[in-house]
Amino acid sequence: MKKVNVALVRLIQFVVFVVSVFMVIAYFGAMVLLPLDAVVLLIKLMGVVGLNGFIAAFIAIPAVGYLGLMVYKTPGLCKMVVDTGVDLIKTSKARIEAFNEIADAVKA
C-alpha cells in the first residue's frame, strides 16, 4: 500500500509541475504576445476607419513601439514584471519540492 501512496504523491507532484510550467510559459508568453496583439488591433481599427492594411501597419508598429518605450522608461515597471515572473517560478519550485517531504513521510 505504501508504494501506491508514493505513486499517488508522485503523480500529483507531476500534475503540479505541469500546471506550474504552463503558468510560467503563459506568463512570459503574454509578455511577448501583448505588443503583437496591440499592433494587430490597431491595424484592424485603422482598417475600419478606411486605411489600407500596409499604411495602417506603417503607423501602428511605431505607435506600439513608442508605448513599449514608455513602459520601458517607467521606473521599476519592467523590473516588477520580471520579478513577478521569477517569484512565480520560485513559488512553483517550492511547491514541487514540498511533495518530496510528503513522499518521504509516506515511505516511512
Side-chain angles (χ1 to χ4, degrees):
M1 190 65 180
K2 288 183 181 181
K3 290 183 180 182
V4 173
N5 289 340
V6 171
L8 285 174
V9 169
R10 294 297 180 196
L11 177 67
I12 295 171
Q13 182 181 21
F14 178 72
V15 169
V16 169
F17 172 74
V18 169
V19 170
S20 299
V21 167
F22 174 76
M23 288 188 314
V24 169
I25 289 173
Y27 183 79
F28 286 108
M31 297 304 119
V32 172
L33 291 178
L34 210 66
L36 295 175
D37 185 49
V39 168
V40 170
L41 289 175
L42 278 174
I43 291 172
K44 287 182 180 180
L45 179 68
M46 290 180 200
V48 169
V49 174
L51 288 175
N52 184 7
F54 181 75
I55 296 170
F58 194 69
I59 297 169
I61 292 172
V64 171
Y66 179 73
L67 290 174
L69 179 67
M70 297 310 294
V71 167
Y72 178 73
K73 285 186 176 181
T74 303
L77 183 61
C78 289
K79 184 177 182 339
M80 183 187 70
V81 169
V82 171
D83 286 346
T84 302
V86 171
D87 287 343
L88 180 65
I89 293 170
K90 288 179 182 178
T91 303
S92 299
K93 185 175 183 282
R95 293 300 112 211
I96 292 167
E97 288 177 351
F99 280 98
N100 291 332
E101 297 173 12
I102 296 171
D104 291 339
V106 170
K107 285 180 186 177

